[in-house]
Amino acid sequence: MARGVLSFPLTSFHDDGSLDPDGFRTHIADRIATAPGAVFPACGTGEFFSLDEDEYRQVVTIAVEEAGGHLPVVAGVGYGWAQAARFARIAQEAGADALLVLPHYLVAAPQDGLVAQLERLAARTRLPLIAYQRGQVAFTAASLRRVAAIPGVIGLKDGHSDLDRLQRLTLAAPDGFLFFNGAATAEIQARAYATVGVPAYSSAVHAFAPEIADAFFTALRVGDDKSVDRLLRDFYVPLVELRDRVPGYAVSLVKAAARLRGHPVGPVRAPLTDPSPTDLADLRALLNTGLDLVGAAL
C-alpha cells in the first residue's frame, strides 16, 4: 500500500439524498484508473456514518467489482463492535479484502475497552482489520502490543498526528505491522510521519484531483523538496485553511471539488452541509491553482 496514494472515494448521492450507484461506479472507476495503492470505500470521506446496510452493501460490492482484484479494497466499519460485525459480514460477502475499523460511537473508553472492541470484532470476521485511532480512540504502546497480537489485526491508521506517541507505537509493534498516516489532510504532515517510519498515507485530494495527489506523492518519494514545498505552500496549506472554516468541510469541500470537476458524486448528507457560495468560489480558485501547479486543468 505504500507504493501509491491510498484513495478514499466519495459516496455518490442524488440531489434528493438517495444513493446513486451508477454515479459511484463511475467515480470509483476513475479513481482506480489512476493506480492508487488501495481503495477505501465507505470510510470517513465516503460518509460511512450516513449509510444503511443495504447502501453499504452496494457501495462495497461496486468497489470490489471495479477493482477486479488488481488492488486491495478496504471497507470501513464502525459504531460498537456488534454493529461493526454486521457491516463486516456484508463487506466479507461483497468480497472486500480488509476492513478499516473507524472510531467507535460517542463514548470515551479505557484502554482495556479499546482492545476488547477489536478482539470481539476480529472474532467475528475472517477479514484482516486495520484499527483507526482518532478522536476518542488513542492507543498506548502497551495496548498496541495487545492489539497487534490479536489474530487478524494487521495495522493501525493514525489520525492524531502526535508524533511522540506514534513513534512509541511503531517501536512497540512487531515487524510487518502496518502503519498509515490518516491525518485530515495527510500530505501536510507526510514528511513528518515518514521520519517516524510511517510513509504510507491516505489522500482525500485523490478523490477530486489525482493529478495533484500523485504529483505530491512522487515528489515526496524522490526527495524533490522544492516541488513538495511549492505544493504545500500554494495548494495544501490554503486547502486546510479553507477546510477549517466550517465543521464538516473535510468531506464537504472534497465533494464540492469533485463536482467542480464534473464527477457525479452529488451533495453531502446531513448533518454535513455543502459549501457556501463564497467558500465554493474560493475552492474553485484554489483548485485551479493546484491543477496549474501540476500542468493540469479543471
Side-chain angles (χ1 to χ4, degrees):
M1 292 187 189
R3 296 176 182 174
V5 172
L6 303 182
S7 180
F8 283 67
L10 301 155
T11 299
S12 299
F13 300 120
H14 294 293
D15 288 342
D16 65 0
S18 60
L19 183 69
D20 178 7
D22 292 336
F24 177 70
R25 186 179 294 277
T26 298
H27 172 66
I28 197 166
D30 288 345
R31 302 311 95 200
I32 290 171
T34 65
V39 289
F40 289 68
C43 293
T45 305
E47 298 178 76
F48 167 79
F49 70 89
S50 76
L51 300 176
D52 67 26
E53 292 180 12
D54 179 64
E55 292 169 332
Y56 178 84
R57 184 185 299 276
Q58 293 182 67
V59 166
V60 177
T61 298
I62 290 169
V64 170
E65 290 173 351
E66 293 301 320
H70 297 299
L71 75 169
V73 176
V74 185
V77 297
Y79 308 114
W81 63 262
Q83 187 63 33
R86 292 174 64 92
F87 283 102
R89 284 195 294 273
I90 294 170
Q92 184 172 300
E93 292 167 358
D97 298 294
L99 302 171
L100 178 65
V101 185
L102 303 173
H104 63 269
Y105 173 68
L106 191 60
V107 297
Q111 292 293 307
D112 284 348
L114 299 181
V115 175
Q117 165 93 336
L118 292 170
E119 288 175 336
R120 283 159 175 74
L121 179 56
R124 289 163 173 80
T125 180
R126 295 194 305 270
L127 294 180
L129 305 180
I130 298 170
Y132 189 3
Q133 65 167 17
R134 185 171 181 171
Q136 67 268 39
V137 177
F139 294 101
T140 64
S143 294
L144 192 281
R145 293 187 189 95
R146 295 169 61 193
V147 166
I150 299 171
V153 179
I154 63 170
L156 177 75
K157 181 182 179 185
D158 175 71
H160 285 296
S161 303
D162 180 340
L163 296 183
D164 179 281
R165 175 189 290 266
L166 185 59
Q167 182 70 90
R168 295 169 190 267
L169 297 182
T170 61
L171 294 172
D175 290 343
F177 194 76
L178 305 176
F179 285 91
F180 306 95
N181 167 4
T185 302
E187 287 89 346
I188 292 287
Q189 301 183 64
R191 280 190 295 204
Y193 268 81
T195 65
V196 295
V198 184
Y201 64 88
S202 60
S203 177
V205 170
H206 191 269
F208 64 86
E211 306 96 325
I212 299 173
D214 290 341
F216 183 90
F217 180 86
T218 299
L220 186 67
R221 182 176 55 186
V222 302
D224 182 358
D225 289 334
K226 183 177 179 180
S227 293
V228 169
D229 288 343
R230 183 173 63 250
L231 285 164
L232 288 174
R233 180 180 57 249
D234 296 338
F235 176 74
Y236 282 101
V237 170
L239 179 64
V240 169
E241 291 172 348
L242 181 56
R243 181 199 71 199
D244 289 347
R245 290 182 187 176
V246 176
Y249 265 16
V251 176
S252 300
L253 283 180
V254 174
K255 253 196 169 173
R259 292 195 301 272
L260 287 174
R261 303 205 72 195
H263 301 312
V265 296
V268 292
R269 274 182 171 174
L272 300 179
T273 58
D274 289 313
S276 69
T278 297
D279 292 344
L280 189 60
D282 290 344
L283 176 63
R284 180 187 291 273
L286 179 58
L287 181 54
N288 277 317
T289 296
L291 291 169
D292 185 62
L293 286 172
V294 298
L298 188 62

